[in-house]
Amino acid sequence: MSKIPVAQAMVLFAAAIWQGAYAADSGFTSEASFVAAAGSTVIESFETTPGRSRGFSPVITPLLTATPGIAPVGVQTAPDSPETGFGAFATDGTRYLSVYLPGAAQGTLRLDFATPTQVAGFNIIDVGETSGTVSLRTDTGFFSTGATFLSFPPTVGNGTVFFVGLTQTIAFSQLFIEVTGVDEAYGIDKVYLTPVPEPATAASLLLGIALLARLRARRH
């Protein structure tokens, strides 16, 4: 069996780390299963985001931008502040996104991530009181055609918390959340994601490891 040179082996190892260990294109409705599959993540819980009433301007945080479709979005600082939360509440901290369009399907909320990610998941609160679905779609990769994660009926009670998430081998920059329930106010909180290194950063990492490996090989 032929041996791979040390420098080449280390570069291949670094490339594998860069691509991420999430491997499978998978959907989740269990937060525990998602966390186990996703590995190291960061969480956006909107705790440093100023509270505001629901409207059509984007909500911007350091990790993501939430852009409303037909249903306005706001940042709640408490279950019913600055507006009625209709049964939604924060699941991590005190703040959460609130989405509601009276008397209609809620349409699509778009999340634009500050850096590409291979995972995304979140708590969705107070959904399922009316018939409808919750679907996710990415801007590229396996889930770019969309997938339904929750379906009602059977309908559930006020204030129920569900988790939806996905892992994808191809990094994506946008996540589209579609809620089809009519008059279905809901909240979004505890958004998981894992930024992928920018190409320049990854290239520098690979180059540095390759040079170190080459120096090590020369010493031997």
Side-chain angles (χ1 to χ4, degrees), residues 24-37:
D25 295 310
S26 301
F28 301 85
T29 54
S30 162
E31 185 174 4
S33 297
F34 170 84
V35 169

Side-chain angles (χ1 to χ4, degrees), residues 55-56 66-73 99 101 106-110:
F56 288 98
T67 302
I70 62 171
V73 61
V99 183
L101 178 65
Q106 301 308 293
T108 301
L109 176 68
R110 188 183 83 222

Side-chain angles (χ1 to χ4, degrees), residues 41-133:
T41 58
V42 295
I43 296 175
E44 176 59 77
S45 293
F46 310 103
E47 294 304 289
T48 61
T49 309
R52 61 167 237 195
S53 299
R54 288 181 288 271
F56 288 98
S57 59
V59 173
I60 301 173
T61 81
L63 295 178
L64 60 85
T65 298
T67 302
I70 62 171
V73 61
V75 180
Q76 295 284 98
T77 57
D80 292 305
S81 175
E83 294 186 274
T84 300
F86 300 103
F89 52 89
T91 58
D92 187 35
T94 61
R95 303 188 179 213
Y96 67 97
L97 293 185
S98 174
V99 183
Y100 183 43
L101 178 65
Q106 301 308 293
T108 301
L109 176 68
R110 188 183 83 222
L111 303 184
D112 292 272
F113 301 114
T115 57
T117 181
Q118 287 178 277
V119 309
F122 55 89
N123 288 334
I124 183 165
I125 310 105
D126 197 45
V127 73
E129 294 178 280
T130 67
S131 297
T133 59

Side-chain angles (χ1 to χ4, degrees), residues 195-209:
V196 174
E198 294 293 336
T201 302
S204 297
L205 173 64
L206 295 177
L207 179 60
I209 290 177

